[in-house]
Amino acid sequence: MTNQTIAVIGTGVIGNGWIARFLAKGFDVIACDPAPEAEQKTRTTVEKLWPSLKEHGMHESASLNRLSFTDDIETAVYEAVLIQENVPEREDLKKSVLAQIDKHAPAESIIASSTSGYKPTTLQEQCVVHPERVMVAHPFNPVYLLPLVEISGGAATSPEALERARNIYESAGMKPLVMKGEVDGHIADRLMEALWREALHIVNDGHATTEEVDKAIVYGAGLRWALMGPFLTFHLAGGEKGMAHMLEQFGPALKAPWTKLEAPELTPELSEKVINGTKEQSGTQSVAELEERRDQFLLKLMRLLQEENYWPAEKVDSNV
C-alpha cells in the first residue's frame, strides 16, 4: 500500500482534505492545480492539519515529504492507482478534466470525482478510453477526518472497478458506502438537504432562530444519530416490538403535514435572518477557530465510536 500513488486534481478545500488524508495514511500524493499559489496554499494547509492527523492516527510511513506538485494532468496521473478529481462544480469543466485524465491514466487506475451534484453516468460521457473505471466518490468535509465516502458507478462503470475503489478507500481509513445505482445528491446529501430545507422554513416562518434550530439538533437528534442513524433510532422508539410497533403506532401520523415539501424562496429577508443569525452564534470566533473546535470534537467523537466498535453497516455481538 505504501508504494501506491494517489493523484489529486484540484486543490480547494476538498482536494486539500483528500491530500492530507492520503498522506497521513502512508500514500505518495501528486497534487495538480494550475493556480499560481496553489502549491504553497496546499502545503500550508496540510502542515496546519498535521498535528490533528497525528492525534487521529497515522500510518508509520506517513510523511509530508511524500507530497509533490505539478500543473500538468498527464504528469500527475502517470503512475497513479487512484485519481481523485475535485475541480469546481461545473459540468463542462468536470467532463473535460475527466476526459483528459482518462486519456493519460494507466488502464488499471480508478478515476473518481468528488462531486456532490453530478451523476457518474453524466461525468463519464466524454471518457472514451476506459469509462468503466470512472465513478463518483463523494466525501464529507472535513475529508481528512470524516470517514464516509459514497461510491457510485455510472452506466459504464464495472463492478470490478467499484470493488477496487472500495479497497483503496478502506486502506485510507475510510468507510466506503457503495451505492446501488446512482441518484441525484447521492444519499447523505439528500438527507442533509431535507433537514436544511426544513430548517430554512422554520427560520423563515419565525418559529425559531438559527441558534435554536442548531440546539434542537445538537442536544436532540444529533446525539442519537452519531451512533445509530434515523432508522435504528425509530426502531428503538417502538419499544420491545421495535420498528413494527413504531410504524403501527405513529405511521398514520406520517400523512400529517409535518414537512414542507419545497424549499422556501431564498428572499433577501430570509438570507438576512440566516446570515445575521449565524454571525450572532459565532460571536467573536473566527471560521478558523470554529474549524479547530469542530476538528477536536470530531476526534473525540470518533474515538468513542471506535471504542464502541461500531459502524452502522456492521452487526455488533450483544454478548460482548
Side-chain angles (χ1 to χ4, degrees):
M1 186 273 287
T2 56
N3 293 325
Q4 293 181 331
T5 299
I6 306 293
V8 176
I9 313 300
T11 60
V13 172
I14 300 301
N16 284 335
W18 278 120
I19 291 168
R21 171 176 282 277
F22 286 126
L23 286 173
K25 295 305 179 181
F27 287 89
D28 291 305
V29 178
I30 300 178
C32 179
D33 196 309
E37 299 178 356
E39 179 173 4
Q40 184 56 52
K41 287 181 179 179
T42 292
R43 293 190 182 278
T44 299
T45 297
V46 176
E47 287 174 7
K48 177 184 175 183
L49 297 175
W50 210 242
S52 292
L53 292 167
K54 283 185 177 179
E55 184 177 351
H56 186 40
M58 282 185 172
H59 191 275
E60 59 184 8
S61 63
S63 172
L64 290 170
N65 294 327
R66 300 183 73 167
L67 172 62
S68 58
F69 220 96
T70 180
D71 60 3
D72 178 63
I73 287 179
E74 182 176 0
T75 301
V77 306
Y78 180 67
E79 294 182 326
V81 66
L82 168 69
I83 299 101
Q84 192 77 39
E85 172 271 310
N86 313 278
V87 302
E89 291 283 290
R90 293 201 337 254
E91 182 178 332
D92 59 338
L93 177 61
K94 283 190 175 290
K95 284 183 175 180
S96 174
V97 169
L98 288 168
Q100 292 181 62
I101 294 171
D102 182 47
K103 179 180 178 181
H104 298 293
E108 65 275 12
S109 297
I110 296 298
I111 302 174
S113 174
S114 298
T115 183
S116 59
Y118 295 111
K119 294 179 180 179
T121 294
T122 299
L123 296 178
Q124 64 190 189
E125 286 176 352
Q126 295 179 18
C127 297
V128 296
V129 180
H130 288 291
E132 72 279 359
R133 40 74 179 276
V134 178
M135 65 191 69
V136 164
H138 174 239
F140 290 82
N141 188 42
V143 183
Y144 50 89
L145 291 181
L146 293 185
L148 181 63
V149 56
E150 297 176 316
I151 302 175
S152 176
T157 310
S158 72
E160 293 77 16
L162 292 173
E163 186 59 25
R164 293 207 317 276
R166 180 207 294 270
N167 291 335
I168 294 171
Y169 290 114
E170 283 183 344
S171 67
M174 305 198 81
K175 298 289 188 179
L177 192 165
V178 181
M179 296 173 55
K180 298 175 177 63
E182 51 186 332
V183 64
D184 289 321
H186 318 313
I187 295 174
D189 272 4
R190 280 188 65 181
L191 297 171
M192 291 189 296
E193 285 295 331
L195 182 60
W196 174 238
R197 179 191 66 223
E198 297 303 313
L200 288 176
H201 274 297
I202 289 170
V203 172
N204 190 52
D205 296 343
H207 298 310
T209 64
T210 60
E211 182 176 12
E212 289 166 340
V213 169
D214 282 358
K215 284 181 177 179
I217 297 299
V218 169
Y219 299 123
L223 288 172
R224 299 186 302 191
W225 289 345
L227 180 66
M228 293 189 174
F231 281 107
L232 209 51
T233 294
F234 280 121
H235 176 64
L236 296 184
E240 292 183 0
K241 295 183 179 180
M243 182 64 79
H245 179 67
M246 198 287 294
L247 292 177
E248 179 183 354
Q249 182 77 9
F250 301 106
L254 297 177
K255 295 182 179 179
W258 283 1
T259 181
K260 304 279 190 179
L261 296 180
E262 295 183 1
E265 182 180 353
L266 196 59
T267 62
E269 292 76 18
L270 176 55
S271 294
E272 186 176 0
K273 285 183 180 179
V274 172
I275 292 169
N276 289 341
T278 50
K279 279 184 178 178
E280 185 175 341
Q281 282 179 259
S282 32
T284 60
Q285 297 176 94
S286 67
V287 169
E289 289 170 331
L290 289 170
E291 287 176 337
E292 174 64 19
R293 184 183 181 193
R294 175 203 63 191
D295 288 0
Q296 289 303 310
F297 176 81
L298 288 174
L299 287 168
K300 294 176 182 177
L301 182 58
M302 287 189 292
R303 280 197 293 269
L304 177 60
L305 288 174
Q306 289 170 354
E307 289 172 10
E308 293 290 326
N309 190 28
Y310 194 79
W311 173 248
E314 299 169 357
K315 294 181 180 178
V316 179
D317 188 346
S318 60
N319 295 320
V320 174

